[in-house]
Amino acid sequence: MRKLTSTSKLREFQRALYQKAKAEPGYRFYSLYDKTYRMDVLEEAYRRVKADRGASGVDGETFAQIEERGLGDYLAELQGEVKERRYTPKPVRRVYIPKAKGKQRPLGIPTIRDRIVQTAYLIVLEPIFEADFTASSFGFRPKKRAQDAVREIHKYLNWGCVENYDVDIEKYFDTVDHRKLMLLLARRIADGQILRVIRQGLSSGYVEDGQHRQSGCGTPQGGVISPLLAKVYLHPVDQAFERKGYGTLCEGSIHGVRYADDLMILAQRDLEKGMAWLEHYIERLGLRLNREKTRRVRMQKGEHVDFVGFRFLYTTNRKTGKRLILIYPSPRSQQRCREEIRKWIHHAIPLSVEEQIGNANVFLRGWVEYFGVGNASATFHDIAHFVEKRVRHVLQRRKGHRGYGGYRIPGERLYGELGLFRDYKVRWL
């Protein structure tokens, strides 16, 4: 008989939870808390948290300090706290990351200890809620990616769903109502201790500029379990579309595609019905639409719509005159890419040109992997030209020259020793 490894046992456990939830949509799981502090669950949780290489929380504890003290003892101590119900989540450390137009997005960084417990909860709870989520939800789900949402939108546009409602929810992660979220969780989870710890984590607040502040709503971006909670909170919107019969493959049908808090409704006609239904449920959840980013678009020649960093452009085939939907990185995504390249390749950086390009290649490979669908070849060549220009500038400045012109890089050096990433491959939808 095949002996199961620790990872295999966890997968079998998760599969059993998923199958139970899928077979009985109304079933409430009542005995889960003891599963969250199983040693194999905590060990897997630590492995995942360390792989993410996140920063320290309010306690300043690092992975190096944990392993220096002894990982086994650390996890055993944490297991005892959770088992004896002495574990209490700490506030998150709030930092800000830049957004477009000079705005900033708040990010909450939990302690490593809290991230381990949250990941253990995620291992246990995610299969249960995954059984409920609809096919129109793509954000932060196992075996689903942003590219899958792009393919879905491309399919509907090609079907003639040219009436589009591009929706953005204003400050979604900051405005989630804790009471309503807990009620949605309780539809599937009857284990009071699990719900209590989740509620404690939501209400633990954050530390900013050395001061502890409470928060009556929202889920901190940066928390391990926050994406799952965000999906659970918007799940009623997806369910409402299914119950209403929207999304069926028939003439005049209305389709919804959601990636986290970004939604798009596509219809051949009668888009107003889908818009009204969506706004009704958004209001019931206590959320608001970002009117600056939310817009209605009728796709015709020259019109476009952006979603998860991609641009969908409506044009026509020059030979046949038929509808053609082009997909490529949006101008905003391209600009962000150039800004990132400027950080990695610059004459003032105290690294050799080879090291700078090596670092840029790591970023470019990830960028191309994300955007390598549809019609991105021309964009990739433009980015490649921009990178070459940056490299020439660095080489000129190292030789005491200024500007970009008048310095030729031997091809074998640029693409050989420096290894500039040029193997761009686009996957057609």
Side-chain angles (χ1 to χ4, degrees):
M1 183 176 178
R2 180 174 61 91
K3 184 178 180 181
L4 293 177
T5 64
S6 177
T7 304
S8 300
K9 289 180 180 178
L10 276 181
R11 288 176 181 168
E12 291 290 339
F13 169 61
Q14 290 181 305
R15 188 176 296 112
L17 289 173
Y18 177 85
Q19 291 173 346
K20 177 70 173 178
K22 198 71 173 177
E24 301 182 39
Y27 183 79
R28 298 179 70 216
F29 292 78
Y30 55 87
S31 183
L32 294 175
Y33 186 70
D34 60 318
K35 313 298 188 299
T36 62
Y37 56 78
R38 278 173 31 177
M39 186 53 69
D40 58 338
V41 172
L42 292 177
E43 288 173 350
E44 173 64 14
Y46 179 82
R47 185 192 66 78
R48 294 187 189 183
V49 170
K50 185 179 180 181
D52 287 340
R53 297 181 297 181
S56 300
V58 293
D59 59 359
E61 190 174 48
T62 65
F63 294 105
Q65 292 173 343
I66 291 172
E67 294 178 1
E68 184 178 350
R69 289 165 45 193
L71 178 58
D73 293 339
Y74 179 87
L75 293 180
E77 179 184 337
L78 180 58
Q79 182 186 49
E81 285 186 22
V82 177
K83 183 176 181 179
E84 297 168 12
R85 305 190 179 189
R86 293 183 287 109
Y87 167 77
T88 303
K90 294 182 180 294
V92 298
R93 179 169 64 90
R94 173 163 285 190
V95 297
Y96 291 89
I97 56 177
K99 291 177 61 179
K101 299 181 181 180
K103 297 181 180 179
Q104 291 186 316
R105 184 193 305 276
L107 191 70
I109 304 177
T111 64
I112 293 178
R113 202 178 197 85
D114 290 341
R115 296 208 295 270
I116 294 171
V117 174
Q118 287 185 24
T119 305
Y121 273 45
L122 186 67
I123 291 171
V124 174
L125 299 182
E126 188 173 49
I128 297 171
F129 290 101
E130 271 296 317
D132 295 336
F133 294 150
T134 67
S136 62
S137 172
F138 294 91
F140 310 113
R141 294 184 61 188
K143 299 182 181 180
K144 286 184 178 289
R145 305 190 305 163
Q147 292 83 351
D148 297 323
V150 169
R151 292 185 178 94
E152 195 77 355
I153 292 173
H154 183 259
K155 177 181 71 176
Y156 292 140
L157 290 173
N158 278 321
W159 282 354
C161 297
V162 295
E163 296 283 352
N164 304 150
Y165 192 43
D166 184 13
V167 178
D168 185 89
I169 300 175
E170 185 175 359
K171 298 181 179 179
Y172 171 59
F173 285 89
D174 298 331
T175 54
V176 170
D177 187 293
H178 291 172
R179 184 185 64 83
K180 293 177 181 178
L181 174 59
M182 297 308 300
L183 289 174
L184 291 171
L185 290 171
R187 288 182 178 181
R188 273 300 205 175
I189 309 300
D191 191 320
Q193 184 62 17
I194 286 234
L195 296 175
R196 186 183 70 84
V197 175
I198 292 176
R199 184 60 189 257
Q200 282 182 333
L202 291 172
S203 59
S204 61
Y206 60 94
V207 174
E208 183 178 13
D209 298 329
Q211 294 186 348
H212 179 217
R213 296 181 172 90
Q214 291 293 340
S215 177
C217 59
T219 60
Q221 294 190 62
V224 178
I225 203 171
S226 292
L228 175 62
L229 300 180
K231 289 182 289 187
V232 170
Y233 198 69
L234 279 178
H235 178 56
V237 177
D238 304 328
Q239 281 184 311
F241 268 73
E242 282 198 346
R243 286 198 305 268
K244 196 68 176 178
Y246 295 157
T248 53
L249 305 183
C250 61
E251 185 179 357
S253 57
I254 302 174
H255 308 272
V257 177
R258 183 169 66 83
Y259 187 88
D261 58 328
D262 293 322
L263 298 94
M264 185 177 291
I265 303 175
L266 306 97
Q268 292 177 326
R269 60 175 183 269
D270 298 331
L271 180 65
E272 292 80 4
K273 293 181 181 179
M275 292 170 56
W277 196 251
L278 171 70
E279 293 181 5
H280 169 71
Y281 270 86
I282 290 293
E283 185 178 345
R284 283 190 61 180
L285 290 171
L287 303 171
R288 293 179 299 177
L289 297 184
N290 186 334
R291 295 297 177 181
E292 291 183 6
K293 296 183 179 179
T294 299
R295 68 186 190 119
R296 180 177 180 177
V297 181
R298 177 174 176 79
M299 294 289 278
Q300 51 191 351
K301 189 173 181 179
E303 287 291 344
H304 68 269
V305 64
D306 295 344
F307 192 76
V308 294
F310 290 84
R311 170 156 292 184
F312 300 82
L313 176 66
Y314 188 110
T315 184
T316 55
N317 188 300
R318 293 179 181 177
K319 295 182 179 179
T320 64
K322 293 183 178 180
R323 175 176 58 241
L324 183 63
I325 307 297
L326 300 180
I327 305 173
Y328 54 91
S330 68
R332 182 177 172 186
S333 298
Q334 296 180 42
Q335 181 60 30
R336 286 179 176 176
C337 178
R338 290 183 173 89
E339 291 172 358
E340 193 70 21
I341 291 301
R342 289 188 181 98
K343 296 178 184 178
W344 291 113
I345 302 178
H346 195 278
H347 65 86
I349 298 177
L351 295 174
S352 67
V353 180
E354 289 84 353
E355 290 174 312
Q356 291 187 34
I357 288 194
N359 292 334
N361 282 344
V362 174
F363 165 75
L364 282 171
R365 286 188 178 93
W367 196 82
V368 170
E369 177 64 24
Y370 181 84
F371 287 106
V373 296
N375 314 92
S377 296
T379 301
F380 290 168
H381 285 295
D382 290 343
I383 295 296
H385 177 71
F386 176 78
V387 176
E388 292 174 15
K389 193 175 179 181
R390 297 291 302 177
V391 173
R392 289 190 179 95
H393 180 59
V394 172
L395 290 173
Q396 281 185 298
R397 293 297 296 265
R398 295 284 168 93
K399 287 186 173 292
H401 303 291
R402 291 183 178 274
Y404 290 98
Y407 192 88
R408 180 177 176 81
I409 305 174
E412 65 275 6
R413 183 182 177 196
L414 182 60
Y415 304 119
E417 294 179 15
L418 299 188
L420 183 63
F421 186 67
R422 286 296 295 265
D423 186 20
Y424 298 130
K425 297 180 180 178
V426 179
R427 300 184 302 279
W428 294 98
L429 295 175

